Each structure stands twice: as C-alpha cells, then as structure tokens.
Short mmCIF file of all heavy atoms in Angstrom, two decimals:
data_model
loop_
_atom_site.label_atom_id
_atom_site.label_comp_id
_atom_site.label_asym_id
_atom_site.label_seq_id
_atom_site.Cartn_x
_atom_site.Cartn_y
_atom_site.Cartn_z
N MET A 1 0.85 -1.20 0.00
CA MET A 1 0.00 0.00 0.00
C MET A 1 0.88 1.25 0.00
O MET A 1 1.84 1.37 0.73
CB MET A 1 -0.89 -0.02 1.24
CG MET A 1 -1.92 1.08 1.22
SD MET A 1 -3.09 0.86 2.57
CE MET A 1 -3.94 2.45 2.45
N HIS A 2 0.55 2.16 -0.84
CA HIS A 2 1.33 3.37 -0.96
C HIS A 2 0.83 4.45 0.01
O HIS A 2 -0.36 4.52 0.28
CB HIS A 2 1.29 3.88 -2.40
CG HIS A 2 1.75 2.84 -3.38
ND1 HIS A 2 3.01 2.33 -3.34
CD2 HIS A 2 1.09 2.19 -4.34
CE1 HIS A 2 3.12 1.40 -4.28
NE2 HIS A 2 1.97 1.30 -4.90
N PRO A 3 1.73 5.26 0.51
CA PRO A 3 1.36 6.24 1.55
C PRO A 3 0.67 7.49 1.01
O PRO A 3 0.98 8.60 1.43
CB PRO A 3 2.70 6.57 2.20
CG PRO A 3 3.67 6.43 1.07
CD PRO A 3 3.15 5.31 0.21
N PHE A 4 -0.21 7.30 0.06
CA PHE A 4 -0.98 8.47 -0.40
C PHE A 4 -2.29 7.96 -0.99
O PHE A 4 -2.43 6.77 -1.27
CB PHE A 4 -0.20 9.26 -1.47
CG PHE A 4 0.08 8.47 -2.71
CD1 PHE A 4 -0.83 8.48 -3.76
CD2 PHE A 4 1.22 7.72 -2.83
CE1 PHE A 4 -0.59 7.72 -4.91
CE2 PHE A 4 1.48 6.98 -3.98
CZ PHE A 4 0.57 6.98 -5.01
N ARG A 5 -3.22 8.85 -1.13
CA ARG A 5 -4.50 8.53 -1.73
C ARG A 5 -4.89 9.62 -2.70
O ARG A 5 -4.48 10.76 -2.56
CB ARG A 5 -5.61 8.44 -0.66
CG ARG A 5 -5.54 7.19 0.14
CD ARG A 5 -6.51 7.22 1.28
NE ARG A 5 -6.33 6.04 2.11
CZ ARG A 5 -6.98 4.88 1.91
NH1 ARG A 5 -7.87 4.79 0.94
NH2 ARG A 5 -6.76 3.86 2.69
N TRP A 6 -5.73 9.22 -3.68
CA TRP A 6 -6.27 10.21 -4.61
C TRP A 6 -7.57 10.74 -4.06
O TRP A 6 -8.39 9.97 -3.56
CB TRP A 6 -6.48 9.57 -5.97
CG TRP A 6 -5.19 9.22 -6.64
CD1 TRP A 6 -4.56 8.02 -6.64
CD2 TRP A 6 -4.34 10.11 -7.37
NE1 TRP A 6 -3.38 8.10 -7.32
CE2 TRP A 6 -3.23 9.38 -7.80
CE3 TRP A 6 -4.44 11.47 -7.72
CZ2 TRP A 6 -2.19 9.96 -8.54
CZ3 TRP A 6 -3.41 12.04 -8.47
CH2 TRP A 6 -2.30 11.28 -8.87
N VAL A 7 -7.73 12.00 -4.14
CA VAL A 7 -8.98 12.62 -3.69
C VAL A 7 -9.43 13.65 -4.72
O VAL A 7 -8.61 14.37 -5.28
CB VAL A 7 -8.84 13.32 -2.32
CG1 VAL A 7 -8.75 12.30 -1.19
CG2 VAL A 7 -7.67 14.25 -2.29
N PRO A 8 -10.74 13.72 -4.97
CA PRO A 8 -11.24 14.78 -5.84
C PRO A 8 -11.31 16.08 -5.04
O PRO A 8 -11.86 16.11 -3.95
CB PRO A 8 -12.64 14.28 -6.22
CG PRO A 8 -13.07 13.38 -5.10
CD PRO A 8 -11.80 12.85 -4.45
N ALA A 9 -10.68 17.11 -5.56
CA ALA A 9 -10.64 18.38 -4.83
C ALA A 9 -10.36 19.53 -5.79
O ALA A 9 -9.55 19.39 -6.71
CB ALA A 9 -9.54 18.34 -3.76
N ASP A 10 -11.05 20.63 -5.59
CA ASP A 10 -10.81 21.84 -6.38
C ASP A 10 -10.81 21.59 -7.89
O ASP A 10 -9.99 22.12 -8.62
CB ASP A 10 -9.49 22.50 -5.95
CG ASP A 10 -9.58 23.13 -4.57
OD1 ASP A 10 -10.63 22.98 -3.91
OD2 ASP A 10 -8.60 23.77 -4.14
N GLY A 11 -11.71 20.75 -8.36
CA GLY A 11 -11.86 20.54 -9.81
C GLY A 11 -10.81 19.65 -10.43
O GLY A 11 -10.69 19.59 -11.66
N GLY A 12 -10.05 18.92 -9.61
CA GLY A 12 -9.07 18.02 -10.16
C GLY A 12 -8.88 16.83 -9.23
O GLY A 12 -9.40 16.82 -8.11
N ARG A 13 -8.18 15.82 -9.71
CA ARG A 13 -7.87 14.67 -8.85
C ARG A 13 -6.47 14.89 -8.32
O ARG A 13 -5.48 14.88 -9.07
CB ARG A 13 -7.96 13.37 -9.66
CG ARG A 13 -9.38 13.13 -10.21
CD ARG A 13 -9.56 11.74 -10.78
NE ARG A 13 -8.44 11.33 -11.61
CZ ARG A 13 -7.62 10.32 -11.33
NH1 ARG A 13 -7.80 9.60 -10.25
NH2 ARG A 13 -6.64 10.02 -12.14
N HIS A 14 -6.40 15.10 -7.01
CA HIS A 14 -5.11 15.33 -6.37
C HIS A 14 -4.76 14.11 -5.54
O HIS A 14 -5.65 13.39 -5.07
CB HIS A 14 -5.19 16.56 -5.45
CG HIS A 14 -5.32 17.86 -6.18
ND1 HIS A 14 -4.24 18.61 -6.57
CD2 HIS A 14 -6.44 18.50 -6.61
CE1 HIS A 14 -4.69 19.69 -7.21
NE2 HIS A 14 -6.00 19.64 -7.24
N ALA A 15 -3.48 13.91 -5.32
CA ALA A 15 -3.03 12.86 -4.41
C ALA A 15 -2.59 13.53 -3.12
O ALA A 15 -2.07 14.65 -3.13
CB ALA A 15 -1.88 12.07 -5.01
N THR A 16 -2.82 12.86 -2.00
CA THR A 16 -2.38 13.41 -0.72
C THR A 16 -1.78 12.33 0.15
O THR A 16 -2.20 11.17 0.12
CB THR A 16 -3.55 14.09 0.02
OG1 THR A 16 -3.06 14.63 1.25
CG2 THR A 16 -4.67 13.12 0.33
N ALA A 17 -0.77 12.72 0.91
CA ALA A 17 -0.18 11.81 1.90
C ALA A 17 -0.75 12.15 3.27
O ALA A 17 -0.30 11.63 4.29
CB ALA A 17 1.33 11.93 1.89
N ASP A 18 -1.72 13.03 3.26
CA ASP A 18 -2.37 13.47 4.50
C ASP A 18 -3.41 12.43 4.89
O ASP A 18 -4.61 12.65 4.80
CB ASP A 18 -3.03 14.82 4.19
CG ASP A 18 -3.24 15.67 5.43
OD1 ASP A 18 -2.98 15.16 6.55
OD2 ASP A 18 -3.67 16.81 5.29
N ILE A 19 -2.93 11.25 5.27
CA ILE A 19 -3.81 10.09 5.52
C ILE A 19 -4.58 10.26 6.83
O ILE A 19 -3.99 10.54 7.87
CB ILE A 19 -3.00 8.78 5.55
CG1 ILE A 19 -2.19 8.63 4.26
CG2 ILE A 19 -3.91 7.58 5.78
CD1 ILE A 19 -3.00 8.43 3.00
N ARG A 20 -5.86 10.07 6.75
CA ARG A 20 -6.71 10.17 7.93
C ARG A 20 -7.18 8.80 8.37
O ARG A 20 -6.99 7.81 7.66
CB ARG A 20 -7.95 11.04 7.60
CG ARG A 20 -7.59 12.44 7.21
CD ARG A 20 -7.00 13.20 8.38
NE ARG A 20 -6.24 14.36 7.93
CZ ARG A 20 -6.77 15.51 7.60
NH1 ARG A 20 -8.07 15.67 7.66
NH2 ARG A 20 -6.02 16.50 7.18
N LEU A 21 -7.81 8.73 9.52
CA LEU A 21 -8.36 7.48 10.02
C LEU A 21 -9.26 6.85 8.98
O LEU A 21 -10.13 7.52 8.43
CB LEU A 21 -9.17 7.73 11.28
CG LEU A 21 -8.38 7.94 12.58
CD1 LEU A 21 -9.34 8.26 13.71
CD2 LEU A 21 -7.58 6.68 12.91
N ALA A 22 -9.02 5.56 8.69
CA ALA A 22 -9.83 4.84 7.73
C ALA A 22 -9.78 5.43 6.33
O ALA A 22 -10.54 5.06 5.47
CB ALA A 22 -11.28 4.72 8.21
N GLY A 23 -8.87 6.39 6.14
CA GLY A 23 -8.72 6.95 4.82
C GLY A 23 -9.87 7.81 4.35
O GLY A 23 -9.99 8.09 3.17
N ALA A 24 -10.71 8.21 5.28
CA ALA A 24 -11.87 8.99 4.89
C ALA A 24 -11.60 10.49 5.01
O ALA A 24 -11.01 10.94 5.98
CB ALA A 24 -13.07 8.62 5.73
N TYR A 25 -12.02 11.22 4.03
CA TYR A 25 -11.88 12.66 4.05
C TYR A 25 -13.28 13.25 4.04
O TYR A 25 -14.14 12.81 3.29
CB TYR A 25 -11.10 13.17 2.84
CG TYR A 25 -9.74 12.53 2.73
CD1 TYR A 25 -9.52 11.48 1.87
CD2 TYR A 25 -8.71 12.99 3.53
CE1 TYR A 25 -8.27 10.88 1.80
CE2 TYR A 25 -7.46 12.40 3.46
CZ TYR A 25 -7.24 11.34 2.59
OH TYR A 25 -6.03 10.76 2.52
N ALA A 26 -13.47 14.24 4.86
CA ALA A 26 -14.78 14.88 4.90
C ALA A 26 -14.90 15.87 3.75
O ALA A 26 -13.92 16.55 3.41
CB ALA A 26 -14.97 15.59 6.23
N VAL A 27 -16.04 15.93 3.15
CA VAL A 27 -16.29 16.91 2.10
C VAL A 27 -16.13 18.30 2.71
O VAL A 27 -16.65 18.56 3.81
CB VAL A 27 -17.71 16.72 1.51
CG1 VAL A 27 -18.05 17.87 0.56
CG2 VAL A 27 -17.80 15.39 0.80
N GLY A 28 -15.35 19.13 2.04
CA GLY A 28 -15.14 20.49 2.54
C GLY A 28 -13.91 20.62 3.43
O GLY A 28 -13.51 21.72 3.80
N GLU A 29 -13.29 19.48 3.72
CA GLU A 29 -12.08 19.48 4.54
C GLU A 29 -10.89 19.96 3.72
O GLU A 29 -10.77 19.66 2.54
CB GLU A 29 -11.83 18.04 5.02
CG GLU A 29 -10.67 17.88 5.98
CD GLU A 29 -10.49 16.45 6.44
OE1 GLU A 29 -11.24 15.56 6.01
OE2 GLU A 29 -9.59 16.21 7.24
N SER A 30 -10.00 20.70 4.38
CA SER A 30 -8.79 21.16 3.70
C SER A 30 -7.67 20.14 3.90
O SER A 30 -7.41 19.73 5.02
CB SER A 30 -8.34 22.51 4.28
OG SER A 30 -8.68 23.53 3.39
N ILE A 31 -7.05 19.73 2.80
CA ILE A 31 -5.93 18.80 2.91
C ILE A 31 -4.76 19.36 2.10
O ILE A 31 -4.95 20.20 1.23
CB ILE A 31 -6.30 17.39 2.38
CG1 ILE A 31 -6.78 17.50 0.92
CG2 ILE A 31 -7.33 16.71 3.26
CD1 ILE A 31 -6.79 16.14 0.22
N THR A 32 -3.58 18.88 2.41
CA THR A 32 -2.41 19.28 1.64
C THR A 32 -2.13 18.19 0.62
O THR A 32 -1.94 17.03 0.99
CB THR A 32 -1.21 19.49 2.58
OG1 THR A 32 -1.56 20.47 3.54
CG2 THR A 32 0.00 19.97 1.79
N ALA A 33 -2.14 18.55 -0.63
CA ALA A 33 -1.92 17.59 -1.71
C ALA A 33 -0.41 17.42 -1.94
O ALA A 33 0.40 18.21 -1.45
CB ALA A 33 -2.62 18.04 -2.98
N LEU A 34 -0.06 16.38 -2.70
CA LEU A 34 1.35 16.13 -3.00
C LEU A 34 1.96 17.28 -3.80
O LEU A 34 3.17 17.47 -3.78
CB LEU A 34 1.51 14.82 -3.77
CG LEU A 34 1.17 13.52 -3.03
CD1 LEU A 34 1.53 12.31 -3.90
CD2 LEU A 34 1.88 13.44 -1.71
N CYS A 35 1.11 18.05 -4.49
CA CYS A 35 1.62 19.20 -5.24
C CYS A 35 1.81 20.41 -4.33
O CYS A 35 2.13 21.50 -4.77
CB CYS A 35 0.63 19.55 -6.36
SG CYS A 35 -1.04 19.92 -5.80
N ARG A 36 1.62 20.18 -3.00
CA ARG A 36 1.83 21.17 -1.96
C ARG A 36 0.76 22.27 -1.96
O ARG A 36 0.91 23.30 -1.31
CB ARG A 36 3.22 21.80 -2.02
CG ARG A 36 4.29 20.76 -1.74
CD ARG A 36 5.68 21.36 -1.68
NE ARG A 36 6.66 20.35 -1.29
CZ ARG A 36 7.16 19.45 -2.13
NH1 ARG A 36 6.77 19.45 -3.37
NH2 ARG A 36 8.02 18.57 -1.71
N ARG A 37 -0.31 22.05 -2.71
CA ARG A 37 -1.41 22.98 -2.65
C ARG A 37 -2.33 22.55 -1.52
O ARG A 37 -2.43 21.36 -1.21
CB ARG A 37 -2.24 22.95 -3.95
CG ARG A 37 -1.55 23.60 -5.12
CD ARG A 37 -2.57 23.78 -6.25
NE ARG A 37 -1.91 24.19 -7.50
CZ ARG A 37 -1.48 23.33 -8.42
NH1 ARG A 37 -1.67 22.04 -8.29
NH2 ARG A 37 -0.89 23.79 -9.50
N SER A 38 -2.96 23.53 -0.91
CA SER A 38 -3.99 23.23 0.07
C SER A 38 -5.29 23.21 -0.70
O SER A 38 -5.68 24.19 -1.31
CB SER A 38 -4.00 24.32 1.14
OG SER A 38 -4.99 24.01 2.10
N VAL A 39 -5.93 22.04 -0.75
CA VAL A 39 -7.15 21.89 -1.56
C VAL A 39 -8.32 21.47 -0.67
O VAL A 39 -8.14 20.94 0.43
CB VAL A 39 -6.93 20.84 -2.68
CG1 VAL A 39 -5.90 21.32 -3.68
CG2 VAL A 39 -6.54 19.49 -2.11
N THR A 40 -9.51 21.74 -1.16
CA THR A 40 -10.72 21.41 -0.42
C THR A 40 -11.35 20.15 -1.01
O THR A 40 -11.61 20.10 -2.21
CB THR A 40 -11.71 22.59 -0.49
OG1 THR A 40 -11.06 23.75 -0.03
CG2 THR A 40 -12.94 22.32 0.36
N VAL A 41 -11.54 19.17 -0.17
CA VAL A 41 -12.09 17.89 -0.63
C VAL A 41 -13.51 18.06 -1.15
O VAL A 41 -14.35 18.70 -0.51
CB VAL A 41 -12.07 16.85 0.52
CG1 VAL A 41 -12.72 15.54 0.10
CG2 VAL A 41 -10.66 16.63 1.02
N ALA A 42 -13.75 17.49 -2.33
CA ALA A 42 -15.09 17.54 -2.95
C ALA A 42 -15.79 16.22 -2.76
O ALA A 42 -15.16 15.21 -2.39
CB ALA A 42 -14.95 17.86 -4.44
N ARG A 43 -17.07 16.22 -2.97
CA ARG A 43 -17.84 14.98 -2.90
C ARG A 43 -17.33 14.02 -3.98
O ARG A 43 -17.11 14.44 -5.12
CB ARG A 43 -19.32 15.29 -3.13
CG ARG A 43 -20.27 14.26 -2.62
CD ARG A 43 -21.71 14.76 -2.75
NE ARG A 43 -21.96 15.96 -1.95
CZ ARG A 43 -22.19 15.95 -0.63
NH1 ARG A 43 -22.22 14.82 0.02
NH2 ARG A 43 -22.39 17.07 0.01
N GLY A 44 -17.11 12.77 -3.64
CA GLY A 44 -16.54 11.82 -4.60
C GLY A 44 -17.55 11.23 -5.55
O GLY A 44 -17.76 10.02 -5.59
N THR A 45 -18.19 12.08 -6.30
CA THR A 45 -19.17 11.59 -7.28
C THR A 45 -18.44 10.96 -8.46
O THR A 45 -17.24 11.16 -8.66
CB THR A 45 -20.04 12.74 -7.78
OG1 THR A 45 -19.19 13.69 -8.43
CG2 THR A 45 -20.79 13.43 -6.66
N GLU A 46 -19.22 10.26 -9.27
CA GLU A 46 -18.66 9.67 -10.47
C GLU A 46 -18.02 10.75 -11.35
O GLU A 46 -16.96 10.55 -11.93
CB GLU A 46 -19.80 8.97 -11.24
CG GLU A 46 -19.40 7.65 -11.86
CD GLU A 46 -20.62 6.90 -12.35
OE1 GLU A 46 -21.60 6.80 -11.59
OE2 GLU A 46 -20.59 6.46 -13.49
N LEU A 47 -18.69 11.88 -11.42
CA LEU A 47 -18.21 12.98 -12.24
C LEU A 47 -16.90 13.52 -11.69
O LEU A 47 -15.96 13.83 -12.44
CB LEU A 47 -19.28 14.09 -12.28
CG LEU A 47 -19.02 15.20 -13.29
CD1 LEU A 47 -19.02 14.66 -14.73
CD2 LEU A 47 -20.08 16.29 -13.14
N ALA A 48 -16.80 13.62 -10.37
CA ALA A 48 -15.60 14.17 -9.74
C ALA A 48 -14.37 13.32 -10.08
O ALA A 48 -13.28 13.83 -10.26
CB ALA A 48 -15.77 14.27 -8.23
N TRP A 49 -14.59 12.00 -10.21
CA TRP A 49 -13.46 11.12 -10.52
C TRP A 49 -13.03 11.26 -11.97
O TRP A 49 -12.00 10.73 -12.37
CB TRP A 49 -13.78 9.67 -10.16
CG TRP A 49 -13.79 9.50 -8.66
CD1 TRP A 49 -14.88 9.23 -7.89
CD2 TRP A 49 -12.68 9.59 -7.77
NE1 TRP A 49 -14.49 9.16 -6.56
CE2 TRP A 49 -13.16 9.39 -6.46
CE3 TRP A 49 -11.30 9.85 -7.95
CZ2 TRP A 49 -12.33 9.43 -5.33
CZ3 TRP A 49 -10.48 9.90 -6.83
CH2 TRP A 49 -11.01 9.69 -5.55
N LEU A 50 -13.81 11.96 -12.77
CA LEU A 50 -13.44 12.19 -14.17
C LEU A 50 -12.70 13.51 -14.34
O LEU A 50 -12.28 13.86 -15.42
CB LEU A 50 -14.70 12.18 -15.05
CG LEU A 50 -15.47 10.87 -15.12
CD1 LEU A 50 -16.72 11.03 -15.95
CD2 LEU A 50 -14.60 9.77 -15.69
N TRP A 51 -12.53 14.22 -13.23
CA TRP A 51 -11.78 15.48 -13.31
C TRP A 51 -10.35 15.19 -13.73
O TRP A 51 -9.84 14.09 -13.48
CB TRP A 51 -11.80 16.18 -11.95
CG TRP A 51 -13.11 16.75 -11.57
CD1 TRP A 51 -14.18 16.96 -12.39
CD2 TRP A 51 -13.50 17.20 -10.27
NE1 TRP A 51 -15.22 17.50 -11.66
CE2 TRP A 51 -14.84 17.67 -10.36
CE3 TRP A 51 -12.86 17.27 -9.03
CZ2 TRP A 51 -15.52 18.19 -9.28
CZ3 TRP A 51 -13.55 17.78 -7.95
CH2 TRP A 51 -14.86 18.24 -8.07
N PRO A 52 -9.70 16.16 -14.33
CA PRO A 52 -8.30 15.94 -14.76
C PRO A 52 -7.38 15.69 -13.58
O PRO A 52 -7.54 16.30 -12.51
CB PRO A 52 -7.93 17.22 -15.50
CG PRO A 52 -8.93 18.24 -15.07
CD PRO A 52 -10.19 17.51 -14.70
N THR A 53 -6.44 14.78 -13.76
CA THR A 53 -5.46 14.48 -12.73
C THR A 53 -4.48 15.63 -12.63
O THR A 53 -3.99 16.13 -13.64
CB THR A 53 -4.71 13.18 -13.09
OG1 THR A 53 -5.68 12.14 -13.18
CG2 THR A 53 -3.66 12.83 -12.06
N CYS A 54 -4.20 16.06 -11.42
CA CYS A 54 -3.21 17.11 -11.18
C CYS A 54 -1.84 16.57 -11.62
O CYS A 54 -1.37 15.55 -11.12
CB CYS A 54 -3.20 17.47 -9.71
SG CYS A 54 -1.86 18.56 -9.25
N ALA A 55 -1.21 17.24 -12.57
CA ALA A 55 0.05 16.77 -13.14
C ALA A 55 1.16 16.69 -12.07
O ALA A 55 1.95 15.77 -12.07
CB ALA A 55 0.48 17.66 -14.29
N GLU A 56 1.18 17.67 -11.18
CA GLU A 56 2.23 17.67 -10.16
C GLU A 56 2.02 16.54 -9.14
O GLU A 56 2.98 15.90 -8.71
CB GLU A 56 2.27 19.02 -9.45
CG GLU A 56 2.79 20.12 -10.35
CD GLU A 56 2.30 21.49 -9.93
OE1 GLU A 56 2.61 21.89 -8.82
OE2 GLU A 56 1.58 22.12 -10.71
N CYS A 57 0.76 16.31 -8.78
CA CYS A 57 0.46 15.19 -7.87
C CYS A 57 0.84 13.87 -8.53
O CYS A 57 1.39 12.98 -7.90
CB CYS A 57 -1.02 15.17 -7.50
SG CYS A 57 -1.43 16.30 -6.17
N ASN A 58 0.52 13.76 -9.81
CA ASN A 58 0.81 12.55 -10.55
C ASN A 58 2.32 12.28 -10.56
O ASN A 58 2.77 11.15 -10.33
CB ASN A 58 0.29 12.69 -11.97
CG ASN A 58 0.19 11.36 -12.68
OD1 ASN A 58 -0.14 10.34 -12.09
ND2 ASN A 58 0.50 11.36 -13.94
N ARG A 59 3.10 13.34 -10.76
CA ARG A 59 4.55 13.18 -10.78
C ARG A 59 5.07 12.76 -9.40
O ARG A 59 5.87 11.84 -9.28
CB ARG A 59 5.20 14.50 -11.22
CG ARG A 59 6.67 14.35 -11.58
CD ARG A 59 7.24 15.63 -12.13
NE ARG A 59 7.07 16.72 -11.18
CZ ARG A 59 6.61 17.93 -11.50
NH1 ARG A 59 6.25 18.21 -12.72
NH2 ARG A 59 6.48 18.87 -10.59
N GLU A 60 4.56 13.42 -8.37
CA GLU A 60 4.99 13.07 -7.01
C GLU A 60 4.57 11.65 -6.63
O GLU A 60 5.32 10.92 -5.96
CB GLU A 60 4.38 14.06 -6.00
CG GLU A 60 4.93 15.47 -6.10
CD GLU A 60 6.43 15.52 -5.82
OE1 GLU A 60 6.91 14.84 -4.90
OE2 GLU A 60 7.13 16.25 -6.56
N ALA A 61 3.38 11.24 -7.07
CA ALA A 61 2.90 9.89 -6.78
C ALA A 61 3.80 8.86 -7.45
O ALA A 61 4.12 7.82 -6.85
CB ALA A 61 1.45 9.73 -7.26
N HIS A 62 4.22 9.13 -8.67
CA HIS A 62 5.13 8.22 -9.39
C HIS A 62 6.44 8.09 -8.63
O HIS A 62 6.99 7.00 -8.50
CB HIS A 62 5.39 8.73 -10.80
CG HIS A 62 4.38 8.28 -11.80
ND1 HIS A 62 3.15 8.88 -11.92
CD2 HIS A 62 4.38 7.26 -12.69
CE1 HIS A 62 2.44 8.24 -12.84
NE2 HIS A 62 3.17 7.26 -13.33
N VAL A 63 6.94 9.20 -8.11
CA VAL A 63 8.18 9.19 -7.34
C VAL A 63 8.01 8.29 -6.11
O VAL A 63 8.87 7.45 -5.84
CB VAL A 63 8.59 10.61 -6.93
CG1 VAL A 63 9.73 10.58 -5.91
CG2 VAL A 63 8.97 11.43 -8.15
N LEU A 64 6.88 8.43 -5.41
CA LEU A 64 6.64 7.63 -4.21
C LEU A 64 6.53 6.15 -4.54
O LEU A 64 7.10 5.29 -3.85
CB LEU A 64 5.35 8.08 -3.51
CG LEU A 64 5.40 9.41 -2.77
CD1 LEU A 64 4.03 9.77 -2.23
CD2 LEU A 64 6.41 9.37 -1.63
N VAL A 65 5.81 5.84 -5.61
CA VAL A 65 5.63 4.42 -5.99
C VAL A 65 6.96 3.82 -6.40
O VAL A 65 7.31 2.72 -5.99
CB VAL A 65 4.59 4.30 -7.14
CG1 VAL A 65 4.57 2.88 -7.69
CG2 VAL A 65 3.21 4.69 -6.63
N GLU A 66 7.72 4.56 -7.19
CA GLU A 66 9.02 4.04 -7.64
C GLU A 66 9.97 3.86 -6.45
O GLU A 66 10.72 2.89 -6.39
CB GLU A 66 9.62 4.95 -8.70
CG GLU A 66 8.98 4.69 -10.05
CD GLU A 66 9.17 5.83 -11.03
OE1 GLU A 66 10.11 6.63 -10.86
OE2 GLU A 66 8.36 5.91 -11.98
N ALA A 67 9.92 4.76 -5.48
CA ALA A 67 10.73 4.64 -4.28
C ALA A 67 10.32 3.38 -3.50
O ALA A 67 11.17 2.66 -2.98
CB ALA A 67 10.57 5.88 -3.41
N GLY A 68 9.02 3.14 -3.42
CA GLY A 68 8.50 1.95 -2.72
C GLY A 68 8.92 0.66 -3.39
O GLY A 68 9.30 -0.30 -2.74
N VAL A 69 8.89 0.66 -4.73
CA VAL A 69 9.24 -0.53 -5.49
C VAL A 69 10.70 -0.91 -5.30
O VAL A 69 11.04 -2.09 -5.21
CB VAL A 69 8.93 -0.29 -7.00
CG1 VAL A 69 9.62 -1.31 -7.88
CG2 VAL A 69 7.42 -0.31 -7.23
N SER A 70 11.56 0.09 -5.18
CA SER A 70 12.99 -0.18 -5.10
C SER A 70 13.46 -0.55 -3.69
O SER A 70 14.61 -0.88 -3.48
CB SER A 70 13.78 1.04 -5.62
OG SER A 70 13.56 2.14 -4.75
N GLN A 71 12.54 -0.48 -2.71
CA GLN A 71 12.95 -0.75 -1.34
C GLN A 71 13.11 -2.24 -1.09
O GLN A 71 12.36 -3.03 -1.62
CB GLN A 71 11.92 -0.21 -0.35
CG GLN A 71 12.23 1.25 0.02
CD GLN A 71 11.08 1.89 0.80
OE1 GLN A 71 10.19 1.20 1.28
NE2 GLN A 71 11.11 3.21 0.89
ZN1 ZN B 1 -2.29 18.29 -6.94
#
C-alpha cells in the first residue's frame, strides 16, 4: 500500500499523503496535496473522478511508488 490517496478536490484529482483514520476525508475538509497545494475535498461523485489528474500530484505519486518498489 502506498502512503498516499487520490482525492477529488478543487476541480481536479489530487493525491495526498495526508492520511486520515480509515482513509476517509470529509467533504469540505482542507488537505495538503502532493503538489503542496492546500485543496478542499469535494464529494466523490462519479463525475468528480473524471476530473483531470493534477500533473504535479501525478509526478509526486510516481516518485513515491518508484521509491517503494525499489525498497
Ligand atoms: Zn495536486
């Protein structure tokens, strides 16, 4: 399991290492994404998951996964 999760926030899919209990984020909660932006969690509707992936989060997530694989 990787130490981050994808969350729909601010019109995009961001990844965050700001892991909460049971991995649940409250709608409207502020979290820090891997792109270092402070974003507001949106409702995880089907449409929200179709939002564009944040390029910076995606890059950071790749770094984390590759680091995990090489361990
Ligand atoms: Zn992001």
Side-chain angles (χ1 to χ4, degrees):
M1 188 172 170
H2 304 298
F4 63 89
R5 284 172 185 271
W6 291 96
V7 286
D10 289 5
R13 299 190 316 115
H14 291 269
T16 181
D18 204 353
I19 305 293
R20 298 293 160 82
L21 282 176
Y25 303 100
V27 172
E29 184 179 3
S30 256
I31 57 164
T32 302
L34 293 186
C35 58
R36 295 185 175 79
R37 287 192 189 93
S38 181
V39 295
T40 305
V41 176
R43 200 173 298 281
T45 61
E46 219 169 312
L47 190 63
W49 288 112
L50 296 176
W51 288 346
T53 300
C54 171
E56 290 155 62
C57 278
N58 196 37
R59 193 175 57 227
E60 291 298 319
H62 274 79
V63 169
L64 287 176
V65 170
E66 281 161 23
V69 164
S70 66
Q71 271 170 14

